[in-house]
Amino acid sequence: MDIVFIHGNYPAQFRHLAAALGQAGDHRVFFLTAREDAETQPIPGVAIRRFELHRTPHAGTHHYLMATEEAVLKGQAVLRALHALIAEGVQPRLVVCHGGMGLGLFVKDFLPNAVHIGLFEWYFRPATARWLMPSYELDQQLLTRMRNLPILEELESCDLGVVPTNWQRQQFPQEFQSKLAVIFDGIDQNFFQPDPEIDERIVVLEGEELPEPLRIEPGQTVLSYATRGMEPLRGFPEFLRAAAACLAENENLEVVVAGRDVRAYSYGAPSHEGSWKQHLLNELGNFAGRERLHFCGLMPYVHYKQLLQRSNLHCYFTRPYVTSWSLFEAAACGARLCVNRCPATEGVVADPETVAWVDLDDLPSLSQTLQNRLRSGSPRSSMDTRHSLQLSLQHWQAVVNKALTQS
């Protein structure tokens, strides 16, 4: 059977599923992506192909429709790439596509006999979209709602939709929820797992922005934070302000931040060319313990894992939005967790009583909770087994087999 994965990134959420199908031996698996360096991460049994937009949206397009025009252009780019695959002799029977960005808009038009499964992440609603923008007046609300147009079109046209969590499924209109199966992306617990002896040995961490490897000695206290983007959506301003207070209070504390100084989803800072890192460091000034605040940039996965395992308290903060993999990975590593309580963070940790739950909008209480937990210690967490990679692949297999049988 010929199988095609489609994602703007690579391998993204399809890493493990594509690998499982590619190594099954009885399929030809292709991955269409816009990522130029995809070959640096080869997956056995998976052939990489590219799609490319022939232009960007016109500057004169109404700003409510910019995302829609871009989605159409992406859908056309995918059609051209699929046409090239068919010219190679490929006959797609199953197409698994990252939905909502336009990539799957025209798949069923072009391949009516193929089973098309869309992986959807989000549907925009005012109660959650307001965290993506510095202000949320009527114009921003209308613009955000119109971003749902390609999402709805893709969801309507695919044979079946998949969404990672119940929380994300609940964002979609009620009439479409029955079409969405809940399958989490899956955490590889052979890699992300506790290390019960890590507190007793020296840990050396590497990161692209560290001037030299960071050496953590036994007995040192570590407060950590990991992020794709340093931005308000992920509670970065609240974390850094609270971390500065902790550094001033505890001379044995090292604060380690993994991730780049970018905005992945929400808005930029009001100064320093939008950098929240530089804006906050300027706001905080030369506070006590500043030299013990370490920005690592991206870290090699093995060092990122060691940070989660070693940290005396790892913070995961988010406003109501898509829940990051990092929370699931931290729980799988047995991290000592501090998490803000919101619908996006419920149901991830097997025992919620092990977590220090905080309110991002109460900075004094947040800072005090961090200081108390760092002094007294926190219990280790564990991930709910529903989010394991093994179970994820089992669910995907059941959904794919059912869709193929019914087509």
Side-chain angles (χ1 to χ4, degrees), residues 128-259:
T128 52
R130 68 187 185 90
W131 298 110
L132 305 178
M133 303 176 184
S135 63
Y136 200 63
E137 306 302 327
L138 181 61
D139 185 60
Q140 288 78 33
Q141 180 174 335
L142 299 179
L143 182 151
T144 305
R145 186 162 69 83
M146 293 298 282
R147 289 178 66 182
N148 289 323
L149 287 178
I151 298 173
L152 290 172
E153 278 296 315
E154 286 195 65
L155 182 52
E156 192 279 330
S157 67
C158 70
D159 295 296
L160 175 70
V162 170
V163 69
T165 67
N166 279 312
W167 154 246
Q168 288 162 263
R169 182 175 179 265
Q170 291 166 8
Q171 307 312 305
F172 288 82
Q174 184 68 40
E175 55 267 32
F176 281 105
Q177 290 186 19
S178 61
K179 195 175 184 177
L180 291 166
V182 176
I183 306 177
F184 184 64
D185 304 318
I187 300 300
D188 184 359
Q189 291 179 284
N190 291 323
F191 182 79
F192 291 104
Q193 56 180 269
D195 181 347
E197 299 178 356
I198 197 167
D199 290 349
E200 308 305 320
R201 66 175 188 267
I202 296 170
V203 175
V204 180
L205 302 175
E206 296 180 6
E208 63 180 359
E209 295 180 13
L210 288 172
E212 58 185 25
L214 177 61
R215 183 184 174 97
I216 305 295
E217 303 278 352
Q220 283 186 302
T221 304
V222 177
L223 173 66
S224 61
Y225 174 91
T227 181
R228 181 181 174 190
M230 298 179 189
E231 55 193 329
L233 183 72
R234 298 308 189 194
F236 179 71
E238 291 81 2
F239 169 78
L240 203 58
R241 290 171 181 135
C246 292
L247 284 165
E249 193 266 347
N250 186 341
E251 294 183 355
N252 191 45
L253 178 65
E254 305 286 333
V255 175
V256 183
V257 179

